[in-house]
Amino acid sequence: MVAPAHLTDRHPTVSPERLIAQLVPPPTFNDVSFASYRPDPSEPTQAAAVGFGRRFCEEAAKRREGKRKMFGKREALPGVGLYLDGGFGVGKTHLLASIYYTLAAGPAPAAFATFGELTQLAGVFGFTECIDLLADYAVVCIDEFELDDPGNTTLISRMLSQLVERGVSIAATSNTLPEQLGEGRFAAQDFLREINTLSEIFTTVRVEGPDYRHRGLPPAPEPLTDAQVTERAAVAAGATLDDFDALCAHLATMHPSRYLTLIEDVQSVFITGVHPLDDQSVALRLVSLTDRLYDAGIPMVASGSKLDTVFSEEMLAGGYRKKYLRATSRLLALTAAGMESSDPA
């Protein structure tokens, strides 16, 4: 029996070339398409969103191809925009990845990134250089466009405006809270106000429905003991085993752009001693790690407090509420998968 590895022993680095190579959909969406999206028959907005996505791809390809000028040369037309507005787990990322793959199959490249990854890219390359880097792309897909950081939102808005002028189309998803659906298009209004220079080119499409990750799932399971988690980790291939506090402290030693490399080749994550957090910086780093684990489809098994209690009521009432609720939804899905895959029975 080989002792499991520890994430806290890893000290990854990420080169600029690696950041560019990461501008693709998460592994869990490697094989998706518009055809594989299964709309809920009781939610007509989901089927409608597929149609909007297909038409967006057709128009984006035309805009990238541009109009013919003298001597047979072509000039790209300004890009178009699509904004998928909806709650958690309604298939927005599936649709966004389908847009990516459809346009990436054409002559121009496509980019897919979370809002955070895009700000990291701008930080590494610089504002102007980042625009030059993406100017020849057919589309930039942004998953979970965030409105809780005015500085970053303004930065990315300016960048996207210039990309649109150079023929790059933009597709984005929202992070609307379930209870805000139907409240006068709350998220869409916030989004368009923050990126007012882009508002005229965006078509806003609502995608409604319950979180598919919770369909048929029971509430958060009772956590295992530290000993049970350790025993399961010892017999799991490609597993890591870490103490919760030690892992949180380790995450603070690196930029979140390294978290994807941190979990590279890991097949399952085991964590002991989980407890509610009272430090927002620690909580936000955990959110970033959770997103990377979820995107990579890496299951989790934990001991200590229930994972739906990690983020305090005070945090859930604050400005990062959307991030914490999304992370909780994903933690429960990862835990359900982890408990099933590691069950010795």
Side-chain angles (χ1 to χ4, degrees), residues 35-52:
S36 67
Y37 183 77
R38 294 289 178 264
D40 186 336
S42 64
E43 299 290 349
T45 59
Q46 295 185 10
V50 175
F52 277 104

Side-chain angles (χ1 to χ4, degrees), residues 108 194 204 259 288 316:
E194 292 291 343
T204 303
Y259 291 0
S288 295
L316 293 177

Side-chain angles (χ1 to χ4, degrees), residues 1 12 139 189 209:
M1 184 180 300
V139 66
Q189 289 176 354

